[in-house]
Amino acid sequence: KIGIAGSFGKTTMREILKPVLSEGKKVAAPPHSYNTPLGISQFVNTLQGDEDVLIFELGEYYPGDVRKLCGMVQPDIGIITGINEAHLEKFKTLDQTAATIFELADYLGEKSTYVNGESELVRKSARAGHVMYNGERAGDWKIGNKKTGLNGTSFTLTKNDMKLELNSLLLGLHQVGSLAACADIALRLGLWPDLVKTGMGKTKPFEHRLEPKIDSAGVVTLDDSYNGNPDGVKAVIEFLVSLGGHRRFYVTPGLVEMGARTEEVHKEIIKKISDSGI
């Protein structure tokens, strides 16, 4: 059982893990954002009982939420995808947000917890023994040859004399760390490298999360309308900047639940867009 917690990126990690692990295991994961006790219960009622791997999103809205969900699903592996102001209106402070999300690591103790090192607040809260992943490394794997565009993302993983060349239909270099962490988990669970490579090739954009659409006039729309956090906004802007030879427009209604940092967060977004040339 894999538990995923974080202010952002939970569903993306779930949708990466499922096709990759399904190459060698029977895998079940909830649909949509079923990350509350009721939603998880509805998902559990659909299980057959012969699954090899179950993937759970652990939603956090108030202190203690992740701890309660851990007691409910009893995960064996944890992934902490990132911490930011996504629910600051309810948590009041980022320290409280971090403490709640790291209730997953507290529950797992000596068991494996993967932590996203690209998130500053995750790095500050990470402890010895946690498996760090980012755009350069995933555990003991070194990441190289990173490329991205409208057709997808590719990179290599190397460790000692092993080398994996991986491709995904997901867009943006911000996805590489998560993809690499997923590959490491799959290999730890016994999948052969060829199966990991095949499964990675099946990872693709999903609804309203940097989902590309092309109309009859050739205009590309990247539907990222489910994105509601500052780190996600930053990643999309950086991806748009990387697309040379195009006119690029960024359209957003703004972010909610930023609490006391609402004005500051939006000024940072405005500055990043202004500096980008979009």
Side-chain angles (χ1 to χ4, degrees), residues 5 58-60 62-70 80 91 96-109 127:
L58 309 179
E60 82 294 330
Y62 296 99
D65 279 354
V66 173
R67 181 172 60 250
K68 291 174 184 175
L69 290 173
C70 285
I80 294 176
F91 282 108
Q96 188 71 267
T97 304
T100 301
I101 289 170
F102 265 81
E103 288 170 358
L104 172 57
D106 296 338
Y107 175 87
L108 287 168
R127 301 154 205 163

Side-chain angles (χ1 to χ4, degrees), residues 194-205:
D194 285 350
L195 293 179
V196 174
K197 186 173 182 177
T198 300
M200 195 68 66
K202 295 179 180 179
T203 57
K204 59 184 180 180

Side-chain angles (χ1 to χ4, degrees), residues 19-95:
V20 175
L21 296 179
S22 292
E23 287 300 306
K25 306 284 183 181
K26 183 174 181 181
V27 181
H32 314 299
S33 294
Y34 280 22
N35 59 19
T36 64
L38 182 58
I40 289 173
S41 297
Q42 290 177 319
F43 162 60
V44 168
N45 280 338
T46 69
L47 298 176
Q48 301 300 308
D50 60 348
E51 293 85 1
D52 298 308
V53 179
L54 303 178
I55 303 170
F56 297 95
E57 287 186 51
L58 309 179
E60 82 294 330
Y61 301 96
Y62 296 99
D65 279 354
V66 173
R67 181 172 60 250
K68 291 174 184 175
L69 290 173
C70 285
M72 179 179 176
V73 307
Q74 300 176 20
D76 303 292
I77 296 172
I79 306 172
I80 294 176
T81 55
I83 298 170
N84 64 17
E85 299 89 346
H87 300 300
L88 193 59
E89 191 172 309
K90 293 175 180 175
F91 282 108
K92 306 304 180 187
T93 70
L94 286 170
D95 286 343

